[in-house]
Structure formats: C-alpha cells, structure tokens
Amino acid sequence: MRHASSMVETYYAGSYWLARLEPIEVCAQRLESFLKGMGQLEPTWSRWHQAAATFEKARNRQVQPDAVTLAKLLGRKSNRFRDSSSFWLWAGEDPEETTGLHGDCGSSSARVSSNCVLNALSTGQVAERVLTAPVLTGVVRAMALAWEPEVGIATSHAHREQIKVGQFSEAGSFVGWVMYFADFRGPVPPLPAPVQVEHLENRGTLITLTPEKFTASNPAHVALAADVQARLQDAGLLRPLRPWGT
C-alpha cells in the first residue's frame, strides 16, 4: 500500500442535507443557480454536458443551464427515484481534464441524504487553477447559497481516509480544507490562525483551514486539521446530519 505522500492527491467538494421535499422545478432553480456560480470560478465550468459512450459524443450533449431545461433533465424517468431527482454532468475541453458533477435533490428522506458533489481534478492546468483555497471556498460557497445544505466540505480524499474512522465517517462529522455549517447546527467557536471564517447571511458559516493548498502529506496541515477538529467537536458542530429543526 502506498502512502499519501507518494500519491497524487485527488479532491472533491460536496454538500449534504436531509428531509427537504421539493418539486422538480425548485431543484432545477437551485441547480441553475449553482451552475451560474460555478461558471464564475473557472472557465471550463461554464459549459456542462451529459454523459455519453465517448468523449466526442458527450461533447455534443451540452446542457443549457436554465431552470426550464434542467427541470426536463431532472424529470426524466431515468433520473427519478421515488421523490428524488438525480443529475450527472461533466465539464472540460480535454478528456484527461474533466470535472464531474452529480447530485440528488428534492427527497423527503430523513435517512438518505440529498447532495451535490463535485469531483475535482488532481493534475493538469485546470487542476492548478481550481485546487486553490479561493476557488474551492467559492465552490462550497456556491453550494451553500444555491442548495442551502446542512453541511458542506471540500478536501482531499487522502485526508478524509486518514481521519475517517469511527464517528468521523459521515458527512458533517469530520473536517476538511473547506467546511460549511448551516446556522441551525450552532455557532462556530474561535479558531486558530491561519483559519479563515466567513459567515453567509441567512445561511451558515464557511471555514477555510489554510490559504495554501491543503495536503494530507503536510504534517502542519494535518496537525491544524486535528486542532480544528477538536474545537469543532467540543462546540457540537461535528455530528451526523439531522433534519432541519430537530
């Protein structure tokens, strides 16, 4: 088994919530808002496509990011399961540098989370642009504003696996490079430098651990994450998802 330090780290961003029954039209409006926010962060994120058998075929399946078009996409029988709608999109001009986006929304389930997840890149020119604190904080901010999730996170898979044991295994239960907590989970305690905290009015709080690229192979980053994990745990912010107002 290779250690994280010998591997190229991969990153993702996700937002998660429970028990919010919403019609397809509302989900489409939220997805439209999110895609617009994403397009302001990275040029290749301004054009999204549906999946297909080949890259060339998929490039011809561009999705217009307006609520009417997105509602038709979310309403397809293949994208519906009970009261939930799913979507799978991707962006990119190079088959080696694509960004995947998928999610489930509209569900009343208090057990299975609704979500929006961005699988970012690991290497290449696009990755160099987007795997930065400003862009990933922007991604989680866009998720918070559009989807109104309970929690959000952007971090490396390697660091998640390092700490993902026992109680720190569910969304909202572990720290990452960028985090978001809805206001109803409680106030964010004072956090040490260089952590940056930003409150989004009528939404929640964004927390960015470090302005430099966070990696699981950097002992200082891991130590900072552990410190913040303990503080957030003591404040009661790190816990599994729960339905709004419970």
Side-chain angles (χ1 to χ4, degrees):
M1 180 178 177
R2 293 180 296 173
H3 295 288
S5 60
S6 63
M7 297 189 296
V8 174
E9 284 189 63
T10 58
Y11 294 76
Y12 76 100
S15 54
Y16 309 86
W17 63 98
L18 289 175
R20 193 170 71 211
L21 180 63
E22 293 181 316
I24 290 172
E25 291 74 19
V26 173
C27 291
Q29 290 168 1
R30 291 185 182 278
L31 181 54
E32 176 189 33
S33 175
F34 176 63
L35 294 180
K36 284 183 177 178
M38 291 289 286
Q40 297 172 8
L41 298 170
E42 158 59 32
T44 60
W45 291 348
S46 62
R47 295 176 298 279
W48 294 90
H49 307 258
Q50 296 180 60
T54 67
F55 179 77
E56 289 305 320
K57 288 182 179 180
R59 288 193 68 177
N60 294 324
R61 301 188 70 191
Q62 184 171 344
V63 177
Q64 295 303 315
D66 62 86
V68 174
T69 302
L70 296 172
K72 292 178 181 178
L73 178 68
L74 293 173
R76 289 179 184 171
K77 186 176 180 180
S78 59
N79 292 338
R80 293 285 292 170
F81 180 72
R82 295 179 180 172
D83 56 8
S84 177
S85 295
S86 299
F87 57 89
W88 294 268
L89 302 172
W90 68 271
E93 300 301 319
D94 185 326
E96 301 300 320
E97 291 194 63
T98 59
T99 304
L101 175 69
H102 65 87
D104 299 278
C105 52
S107 175
S108 62
S109 175
R111 294 187 177 184
V112 179
S113 69
S114 293
N115 59 78
C116 176
V117 179
L118 179 82
N119 290 309
L121 303 153
S122 56
T123 59
Q125 293 182 347
V126 177
E128 290 181 5
R129 294 198 299 264
V130 303
L131 295 182
T132 67
V135 174
L136 289 187
T137 299
V139 170
V140 179
R141 184 187 296 110
M143 288 179 171
L145 295 175
W147 296 107
E148 297 185 73
E150 181 177 347
V151 298
I153 193 165
T155 196
S156 83
H157 292 94
H159 183 255
R160 184 186 69 181
E161 294 306 313
Q162 279 183 4
I163 62 174
K164 192 179 172 186
V165 293
Q167 61 182 328
F168 304 125
S169 59
E170 300 181 53
S173 296
F174 56 91
V175 302
W177 185 1
V178 182
M179 293 158 282
Y180 169 80
F181 299 99
D183 283 337
F184 79 86
R185 280 178 78 97
V188 173
L191 298 173
V195 179
Q196 297 177 335
V197 178
E198 174 190 354
H199 186 257
L200 303 179
E201 187 175 2
N202 299 321
R203 287 291 191 275
T205 302
L206 280 169
I207 301 170
T208 305
L209 285 186
T210 171
E212 61 188 18
K213 186 176 180 180
F214 179 90
T215 67
S217 58
N218 185 323
H221 291 172
V222 174
L224 176 62
D227 183 3
V228 171
Q229 173 109 18
R231 293 172 189 247
L232 296 180
Q233 186 73 29
D234 289 344
L237 281 168
L238 296 181
R239 58 176 186 267
L241 297 177
R242 64 186 188 188
W244 179 276
T246 64

